[in-house]
Amino acid sequence: MTTRRLAALLLFPLVLGACADAATTTAPAASAGAAIARADRLPSAGARGLTVMTRNLFLGGDIFGVAAPSPTPLPVRIAQFWQTVLASNFPERAGTIAKEIGDASPQLVGLQEVPIYRIDPLGDAAVGGTHPATVVALDFLATLQDSLAARGLCYHVASSDLLSDIEMPMVASVSPLRLVDLRYTDRDVVLARCDVPTSDPRSGVYTARLTVGVSGIPVSVLRGWASTLATVGGVTYRFATTHLETDGSPATQLAQARELIAVLASEPHPVVLVGDFNSAADGSQTPTYGVLLSEGGFVDAWTEAHPHDPGYTSSLPESLFGAPTLTTRIDLVLVRQNFHASSAAGIVGGVHADVIGEELGDRTPSGRWPSDHAGVVVELNAPKAIAKR
């Protein structure tokens, strides 16, 4: 990983690099061939079913708020952000998310906002030091895997990317004044159930990216994708997860979506793409959702199963307390099947879909929502002709 460090002088975060390990080629987007299977004609779940989940874990605080202009010194703002992250109690939330996974038993899980937070007790970021923070304070991935293991569930990391990696000075105590460094590293992760064969992990960071100014210095916000091949019921799929830029930067978001379409265009296997796309499925925010379907050749699993249900997934309160306030559907499961040529678009064999983590009974023991997003679970049923391959 290439490292770039900037002197902070109590004003500016240290920015570390990120890496992309994917080697992909651009090819024309494939069309989505298949016969439409509407909700009233769905087959019952069977051995040929592939169950997938998408879950934004919520990093625990507003990282963009840290960069907003403020008279409060940056190290104080970072301390406030860190206290918010701790108060979100991810260890407890991870237990509830692990239960969701256990209940649905998906073969593949796409995760977004899977940070690792590290501390450097030396606190040299404020004076331009070069010592990276290495002491792990909170690792969302390890915490979730521990919660899964505690329930007797076995899921391994099949693929992951490495996104924004930022180290910032933080006030640890006021009297006496002591600074430490807080390092935030974002990731997207694919988890595979341990009985599912996977291979050919790939990942990448989008060239298109948002740049925010912090104390007059530009900082890039890195977004990316991770994928793997997985074989379930005799069918091999390319399963991918991503987290696109917010709807506040529609041009960047759309450019990222087109990069991903190009990455997946030459994939010969059926593609299941999940994630937080930050583009409302009703078209009210950005054109990205429509482009993924029209240019990428994808079919929306939710609308196949529930053509008259909006299936909202965002946004629950960032405080994680309070009534459900879902108003948009931005967490999606999209499918592209490069088999069974047909003049109609759709998902061969049928689809079952459910929104999870949005009902009052889905909250943690302390009453928190598991995330500020709801999750989506989809079961795809491959047609017999494909399952026999």
Side-chain angles (χ1 to χ4, degrees):
M1 178 175 68
T2 302
T3 301
R4 180 168 67 94
R5 298 181 65 85
L6 303 174
L9 298 178
L10 301 184
L11 294 175
F12 187 71
L14 292 152
V15 178
L16 306 178
C19 66
D21 61 5
T24 56
T25 58
T26 301
S31 63
I36 294 179
R38 305 309 307 190
D40 59 351
R41 301 200 301 272
L42 294 179
S44 60
R48 293 180 284 111
L50 167 69
T51 302
V52 301
M53 176 187 290
T54 183
R55 210 61 171 99
N56 181 314
L57 298 184
F58 178 48
L59 55 87
D62 182 7
I63 195 71
F64 282 100
V66 171
S70 172
T72 303
L74 180 65
V76 176
R77 281 181 277 151
I78 299 304
Q80 293 168 341
F81 168 78
W82 180 232
Q83 290 305 309
T84 302
V85 171
L86 294 176
S88 77
N89 198 349
F90 184 71
E92 181 190 48
R93 296 195 287 119
T96 299
I97 294 170
K99 181 180 182 301
E100 293 174 351
I101 294 174
D103 290 344
S105 193
Q107 285 97 347
L108 298 163
V109 181
L111 303 174
Q112 310 88 43
E113 292 192 23
V114 192
I116 179 171
Y117 293 98
R118 288 169 281 199
I119 299 288
D120 178 11
L122 296 179
D124 65 350
V127 292
T130 59
H131 189 270
T134 58
V135 179
V136 175
L138 182 58
D139 184 337
F140 278 36
L141 178 57
T143 302
L144 178 58
Q145 287 186 297
D146 287 346
S147 294
L148 290 166
R151 288 161 175 76
L153 305 171
C154 183
Y155 282 81
H156 70 92
V157 176
S159 183
S160 66
D161 57 22
L162 179 60
L163 305 174
S164 297
D165 195 350
I166 305 169
E167 188 166 336
M168 299 160 282
M170 177 175 73
V171 173
S173 67
V174 176
S175 183
L177 179 63
R178 184 171 70 90
L179 299 179
V180 298
D181 296 341
L182 177 69
R183 180 178 175 187
Y184 157 78
T185 307
D186 190 22
R187 298 165 293 186
D188 301 308
V189 175
V190 173
L191 294 181
R193 212 171 63 193
C194 288
D195 62 333
V196 175
T198 62
S199 62
D200 192 21
R202 301 182 185 182
S203 66
V205 175
Y206 297 121
T207 301
R209 57 193 59 169
L210 175 67
T211 299
V212 297
V214 182
S215 299
I217 307 293
V219 179
S220 293
V221 179
L222 305 187
R223 307 279 189 177
W225 56 272
S227 76
T228 187
L229 290 180
T231 302
V232 177
V235 181
T236 297
Y237 303 83
R238 169 66 64 181
F239 180 81
T241 183
T242 191
H243 187 189
L244 300 185
E245 193 49 74
T246 67
D247 63 301
S249 302
T252 300
Q253 179 193 99
L254 182 57
Q256 291 173 349
R258 286 190 164 125
E259 285 187 49
L260 185 56
I261 288 170
V263 164
L264 297 172
S266 60
E267 175 58 55
H269 298 95
V271 177
V272 180
L273 171 62
V274 308
D276 174 2
F277 293 84
N278 276 315
S279 180
D282 63 5
S284 62
Q285 294 178 333
T286 70
T288 298
Y289 172 82
V291 166
L292 286 164
L293 273 57
S294 63
E295 297 182 16
F298 287 99
V299 175
D300 185 339
W302 181 263
T303 56
E304 289 291 297
H306 305 285
H308 305 298
D309 184 342
Y312 294 148
T313 63
S314 179
S315 297
L316 291 163
E318 282 197 0
S319 68
L320 302 179
F321 289 102
T325 55
L326 299 173
T327 56
T328 56
R329 183 166 69 88
I330 62 176
D331 302 88
L332 311 173
V333 176
L334 306 177
V335 177
R336 192 190 73 210
Q337 298 173 317
N338 299 331
F339 51 77
H340 193 278
S342 170
S343 60
I347 297 174
V348 172
V351 56
H352 302 265
D354 188 28
V355 174
I356 58 172
E358 88 289 15
E359 298 181 357
L360 294 177
D362 297 332
R363 294 176 299 176
T364 69
S366 68
R368 289 178 173 84
W369 294 106
S371 170
D372 64 344
H373 287 240
V376 182
V377 176
V378 168
E379 182 186 358
L380 302 162
N381 292 280
K384 291 181 180 179
I386 302 301
K388 289 180 179 178
R389 287 185 181 178

